[in-house]
Amino acid sequence: MSVKLTTLGILIYAVMALYLAAGAALASRRRAALAALAVLGLADAAAAVILRALAAARPEFMPRYEVALACGIIIYAALALALAAGAVLKREGPAGTVLFAAGFAAAAAAFVVRWDQAGHAPLQNMFEVFLCLGMLMGPITLFCRRFLGVRLEGADALIGVIILFPAGFVFKAEPQRLPPALQSFLFVPHVAAYMLSYVVLAKAAVLAFLGLFRDRPGADPGALDYAASADRVARLGFPLLTLGLVLGMWWGKIAWGDYWNWDPKELWSLVSWLAYVGYFHFRYMFGQKHRRANCAWLVAGLVAIAITLLWVNLARLFAGGLHSYAT
Amino acid sequence: MNSLRRAILWSVLGGIFILIVLSAVGALIGSGELGRAAAEAFPGHPWVADLFGPQRPKELFNSWPLVIFWFAVAGLLAAGLAAFRRLVAAPAGLAMHLGALLVIAGAMWGSDKGHAMREALFGTVKVPSAYMPIMEGATEDRLFADDLQTPLAALPFGLHLRDFTVEHYPSDAATWALLVVAPTLDAEGNVAGVQEQLRWRVGEELAVPHSDARLTVLRYLPHARPAYAEGVRPHVEVALPGGERLALDAEVGRELTIRDAPPMRLKVVRVFSNLRVLGTGPGRRVIDAPGEGDNPAAQVQVIGPEGVWLEGYALAMETPVRSPDGELLANLRFSRPQPSGAEDDPASDAPAMELLLSCGGRQERRWLIVPRGAGVARLALAPIILGRETADDDMAAMMAPDLYLVRPVGPVSDYKSDLEVREGGRTVARRTVEVNDPLHYGGYHFYQYSYDSKHEAYTVLSAVSDSGLAAVYLGMALLALGAFGRFWAGPCRAFFSPKGNPNQTANSKRQMTSGK
């Protein structure tokens, strides 16, 4: 766990705070969510104070300045949360959407800052990938709402926070130069197609997960049910996932000599793709007869994506593969 | 849905499930880390560790049972296209399934077994994948196995390596690195070297690792050249047959006119810090490898009234220069005196460092001077540590550490092999192969694979057969276009239609894609 007290880090934390506030503001049980947010903010602040006091008493555990930085960040985040919660609590209206848009703006700013720092499109390592994913959440939510009629923006905001957490607190942020294998015209389209598809399919999986337990949000029988919403979003994401896979195969041929090298990351990306292929065939066979099974396919797809994206890189279980530079 | 279609769909779901499981298994057995863990967990059972390795997934998916599986998958795709008329009628659905079929068919055609089958049936000899090590200046037409020594086949054309280069990103370091390299002996008496970088600042005394010596950096000149005592410079000694001895300054462009018969001029065209000859025959190359040894030399042209007669090298030992008919023209010897120090030279890219070395009460000032164009300079610490002059076979001196001043380099940014394709005695194509930019010629793609990391004197290309690739590329394109057409085109059309709105769009899309 590391705290980043840089321009980039502060931007990321600001995005997380804004997404959290937006999630609370957009949640169906607003007052309860906002109260929880305010409590979270206060708990954060209390944790910071306690941490600082402990560090003062036992400085041998941690360099004092690191504690100060960590506490500073926690306190700023807590203040942002509390302020946002307070502002939203007082008024109805489009506050959630505004907060979400502000979060996206901050994330886009962080992405631009990173691009400038790295000197290339910031899609090389896990920090940059998660920063990009967090930035994409806002526009994808608005797109789904506008073009697909799929709501649940509050959950999207929380997905954004979950995605940004490792960028803000786990992954190293040192910019790296592009190795020869990544200097290709396919670098940006291949990774960007995958990033877009991952965020879209994460939203589909969250909807599908809720669909495992309930038919639809609220009591309105006219509202689009979770399974149908998840299906619409999955249909948006699957072509992007296919594009990412195909561009990866093309790039593999150009860079390594073969479009398929049986590398662990390639194999997991195939598993991800096959999960959605299986979903569409299953749904073609049974339609909406087995709604929960349909939803389970989409949740399984996200699990495969998470393994593709995270496990292969982080567990070191498959270290030494061709994609090992993407850690 | 009739029973045939239902059976096909159930088979498709079964095939997808099997492929998911096999892919997950492939990812697991492809893990080197897991293989090492298995070897530690089952020390008495080496076969357990043998289950794992980077090549295992490829072997699994190309094994005979899986060959049958791939044929079954291809058959299912074909059966689906035949049984589901709506699939064929919808261009996007047809494109997706036809694309998948083409990818599988192309991959089978281009696989090792596909090549072997064509060789057995049609006598077509084409190596699926191989390697080509090529020296700079040499032409190679043989394909080798991965040991780079076992020839597999010969190509009807050759690849000539004009030049190989490695490019680096600029380093972020402000100064060159000061390293201590100390020889060590292992338990079997083999000599190895340990290397340690010193964090130095001007005026600060440091301990020299692996010795009792200490050093202080007195001066660091980022742009420097060697300085010599008055009247002493590197030069070429010219001994004429008549006994006369002349001196020619060892600087590029300097000339010496000799008026004796035959009248001629000697001109320095290149100066070497460490002359090395790479290769033999017509592909032989003479390079300067400064910092890696000490073989000072000068390349000298002998110019007669009609132009350049010949070229020769002045080395540290006396070297005769003869005319084409064997007449001795002169004996040349390169003389390089020890520099007395270094001085600023803004035109130089090489630094110099003045050191104060101390050991056992002895103190000496020494310079580490990087030759122009070199990446490293070396200073032996044996004399100051041992307190005496040392000989080449002095074991104590051999085990003493050395100091190195090394150019900091950033990470590698590119590897480049400048190649010519030669066929029938003439050059038919030229291309610089680099990572992400292979050469395609004669049914093979040639990729930058490896290289000579020490002298950059040779490259290693991997050659991959292009059999089946067109089908795979076409299949990939159809698959991607079909996916967008199938899932995006309808909703987009509905949304942008004059009556379109989000709910209508959603309903129309649901109807379109539900399959009901």
Side-chain angles (χ1 to χ4, degrees):
Chain A
M1 177 78 73
S2 67
V3 176
K4 300 174 178 69
L5 197 70
T6 58
T7 307
L8 203 55
I10 289 169
L11 277 170
I12 290 170
Y13 302 133
V15 178
M16 290 172 70
L18 288 164
Y19 277 4
L20 265 177
L26 291 163
S28 53
R29 300 186 178 192
R30 283 182 78 226
R31 289 191 180 277
L34 290 169
L37 194 59
V39 169
L40 183 65
L42 290 172
D44 266 0
V49 170
I50 292 167
L51 196 62
R52 179 168 281 183
L54 279 175
R58 303 292 297 274
E60 66 274 19
F61 285 140
M62 196 189 240
R64 188 178 291 250
Y65 71 95
E66 281 188 15
V67 175
L69 293 181
C71 292
I73 289 295
I74 293 171
I75 288 169
Y76 295 143
L79 280 175
L81 290 175
L83 279 173
V88 175
L89 270 171
K90 282 186 179 173
R91 48 183 292 225
E92 299 290 326
T97 305
V98 170
L99 283 168
F100 210 166
F104 164 70
F111 192 75
V112 171
V113 166
R114 178 60 173 192
W115 195 318
D116 181 56
Q117 274 181 357
H120 55 76
L123 298 169
Q124 181 184 4
N125 51 36
M126 296 303 276
F127 171 79
E128 293 169 352
V129 160
F130 275 74
L131 177 59
C132 177
L133 290 172
M135 178 188 70
L136 293 173
M137 196 68 245
I140 284 171
T141 298
L142 296 178
F143 182 90
C144 290
R145 178 178 170 177
R146 175 81 179 87
F147 291 91
L148 302 182
V150 175
R151 303 295 300 261
L152 212 69
E153 299 94 324
D156 291 352
L158 295 177
I159 296 172
V161 174
I162 292 166
I163 288 172
L164 282 169
F165 185 85
F169 293 102
V170 179
F171 297 126
K172 289 181 180 173
E174 283 77 26
Q176 297 160 307
R177 284 163 167 152
L178 280 184
L182 294 187
Q183 295 168 28
S184 166
F185 66 97
L186 288 167
F187 171 51
V188 172
H190 165 65
V191 183
Y194 262 135
M195 293 306 102
L196 274 168
S197 71
Y198 285 176
V199 177
V200 171
L201 294 172
K203 180 179 170 71
V206 169
L207 289 162
F209 182 76
L210 294 171
L212 289 173
F213 306 102
R214 294 175 62 187
D215 280 347
R216 53 177 46 82
D220 178 8
L224 196 63
D225 64 71
Y226 285 127
S229 298
D231 182 65
R232 290 183 184 187
V233 180
R235 285 167 193 277
L236 174 67
F238 179 70
L240 293 166
L241 190 72
T242 307
L243 182 65
L245 185 72
V246 164
L247 291 176
M249 289 169 71
W250 186 17
W251 189 6
K253 179 63 193 167
I254 292 171
W256 296 322
D258 217 337
Y259 44 83
W260 200 258
N261 288 286
W262 307 105
D263 180 73
K265 186 146 185 149
E266 290 176 353
L267 286 164
W268 280 115
S269 69
L270 179 64
V271 171
S272 314
W273 188 76
L274 286 170
Y276 291 98
V277 172
Y279 163 74
F280 288 118
H281 281 85
F282 187 83
R283 201 171 186 282
Y284 181 83
M285 276 180 81
F286 298 108
Q288 302 192 43
K289 191 174 166 188
H290 303 293
R291 284 174 174 240
R292 283 181 173 71
N294 287 340
C295 291
W297 274 103
L298 293 178
V299 173
L302 183 64
V303 171
I305 285 175
I307 294 172
T308 309
L309 190 60
L310 286 174
W311 193 12
V312 173
N313 292 92
L314 300 181
R316 301 284 177 190
L317 197 59
F318 310 112
L322 288 168
H323 290 80
S324 55
Y325 47 72
T327 50
Chain B
M1 189 178 290
N2 65 30
S3 56
L4 173 66
R5 291 179 182 178
R6 189 163 288 275
I8 290 173
L9 277 172
W10 274 115
S11 304
V12 168
L13 284 176
I16 288 169
F17 179 75
I18 292 170
L19 197 47
I20 286 176
V21 172
L22 286 172
S23 299
V25 169
L28 283 170
I29 63 173
S31 159
E33 291 286 311
L34 210 58
R36 279 189 283 279
E40 287 175 14
F42 303 99
H45 301 84
W47 63 270
V48 177
D50 287 346
L51 292 174
F52 300 89
Q55 292 302 314
R56 293 291 178 263
K58 185 177 180 181
E59 290 166 7
L60 171 69
F61 283 94
N62 285 278
S63 61
W64 280 111
L66 268 292
V67 170
I68 295 167
F69 173 78
W70 290 123
F71 270 110
V73 171
L76 268 177
L77 282 162
L81 287 170
F84 291 81
R85 288 181 193 165
R86 285 175 60 191
L87 198 59
V88 179
L94 176 64
M96 283 186 77
H97 290 80
L98 195 59
L101 188 57
L102 279 170
V103 168
I104 291 172
M108 290 166 87
W109 189 257
S111 67
D112 292 2
K113 284 188 170 63
H115 281 79
M117 182 193 73
R118 288 199 300 284
E119 187 174 349
L121 293 178
F122 312 119
T124 316
V125 179
K126 196 171 182 187
V127 179
S129 63
Y131 301 91
M132 289 183 83
I134 315 174
M135 291 289 295
E136 279 187 346
T139 304
E140 183 61 80
D141 63 356
R142 291 169 299 167
L143 297 174
F144 293 85
D146 55 4
D147 61 2
L148 305 183
Q149 292 178 349
T150 310
L152 296 176
L155 297 169
F157 55 90
L159 294 184
H160 176 80
L161 180 64
R162 293 170 54 88
D163 191 27
F164 175 77
T165 50
V166 180
E167 293 177 358
H168 294 261
Y169 287 106
S171 168
D172 297 328
T175 59
W176 287 37
L178 185 59
L179 305 178
V180 173
V181 178
T184 56
L185 286 176
D186 63 17
E188 295 168 357
N190 299 316
V191 180
V194 289
Q195 179 178 302
E196 203 166 314
Q197 184 170 350
L198 300 180
R199 301 194 176 280
W200 59 272
R201 282 196 302 186
V202 172
E204 195 173 279
E205 190 181 50
L206 303 167
V208 177
H210 312 289
S211 76
D212 298 328
R214 301 184 71 79
L215 70 80
T216 306
V217 177
L218 300 175
R219 271 196 291 172
Y220 179 79
L221 306 177
H223 306 283
R225 65 178 172 213
Y228 298 93
E230 187 68 29
V232 179
R233 299 191 67 78
H235 62 277
V236 176
E237 288 178 7
V238 182
L240 297 175
E244 189 181 1
R245 301 186 84 84
L246 304 168
L248 168 62
D249 277 353
E251 286 181 23
V252 173
R254 286 296 184 109
E255 293 188 11
L256 177 69
T257 301
I258 298 168
R259 301 191 189 287
D260 290 356
M264 59 183 177
R265 284 183 295 133
L266 301 180
K267 182 180 179 183
V268 176
V269 292
R270 193 175 174 191
V271 178
F272 299 83
S273 295
N274 180 35
L275 181 142
R276 288 177 59 89
V277 181
L278 300 176
T280 56
R284 188 185 75 147
R285 286 199 317 135
V286 178
I287 65 161
D288 194 7
E292 295 178 9
D294 195 28
N295 185 24
Q299 188 176 2
V300 179
Q301 282 181 343
V302 182
I303 306 168
E306 291 86 28
V308 177
W309 275 354
L310 51 100
E311 284 188 352
Y313 290 91
L315 306 171
M317 67 180 78
E318 205 163 71
T319 314
V321 177
R322 297 180 186 278
S323 67
D325 54 9
E327 182 190 358
L328 178 68
L329 300 174
N331 282 308
L332 304 181
R333 193 175 79 84
F334 190 93
S335 173
R336 189 180 65 180
Q338 197 66 24
S340 59
E343 57 195 12
D344 276 317
D345 178 6
S348 167
D349 66 340
M353 180 182 273
E354 187 180 17
L355 301 161
L356 178 63
L357 300 164
S358 56
C359 186
R362 299 176 294 279
Q363 276 200 336
E364 280 186 31
R365 284 175 180 243
R366 289 289 186 92
W367 279 90
L368 260 170
I369 305 169
V370 179
R372 182 170 292 194
V376 62
R378 171 179 169 268
L379 176 63
L381 292 177
I384 183 73
I385 290 172
L386 301 174
R388 57 180 166 79
E389 288 302 312
T390 58
D392 288 346
D393 57 352
D394 187 334
M395 190 62 190
M398 287 162 66
M399 296 307 294
D402 294 334
L403 275 179
Y404 287 86
L405 191 58
V406 180
R407 183 201 301 274
V409 290
V412 171
S413 65
D414 209 352
Y415 310 95
K416 290 183 175 177
S417 294
D418 185 5
L419 294 167
E420 282 179 359
V421 182
R422 293 187 175 175
E423 194 168 7
R426 62 191 183 88
T427 300
V428 292
R430 183 175 171 184
R431 187 181 181 87
T432 300
V433 168
E434 47 195 309
V435 181
N436 280 311
D437 194 6
L439 162 71
H440 186 212
Y441 191 85
Y444 288 91
H445 282 94
F446 297 93
Y447 298 86
Q448 183 61 53
Y449 176 73
S450 184
Y451 68 105
D452 170 20
S453 58
K454 197 166 182 186
H455 301 303
E456 299 177 12
Y458 66 84
T459 188
V460 182
L461 305 177
S462 73
V464 182
S465 160
D466 65 359
S467 296
L469 189 61
V472 173
Y473 275 174
L474 180 61
M476 283 158 51
L478 285 174
L479 195 57
L481 290 172
F484 281 100
R486 171 80 175 159
F487 296 115
W488 280 28
C492 285
R493 226 176 8 247
F495 189 85
F496 291 110
S497 70
K499 293 178 182 175
N501 66 48
N503 290 329
Q504 283 174 343
T505 307
N507 291 334
S508 63
K509 186 173 53 179
R510 190 192 300 185
Q511 287 160 9
M512 183 186 69
T513 55
S514 66
K516 295 289 179 184

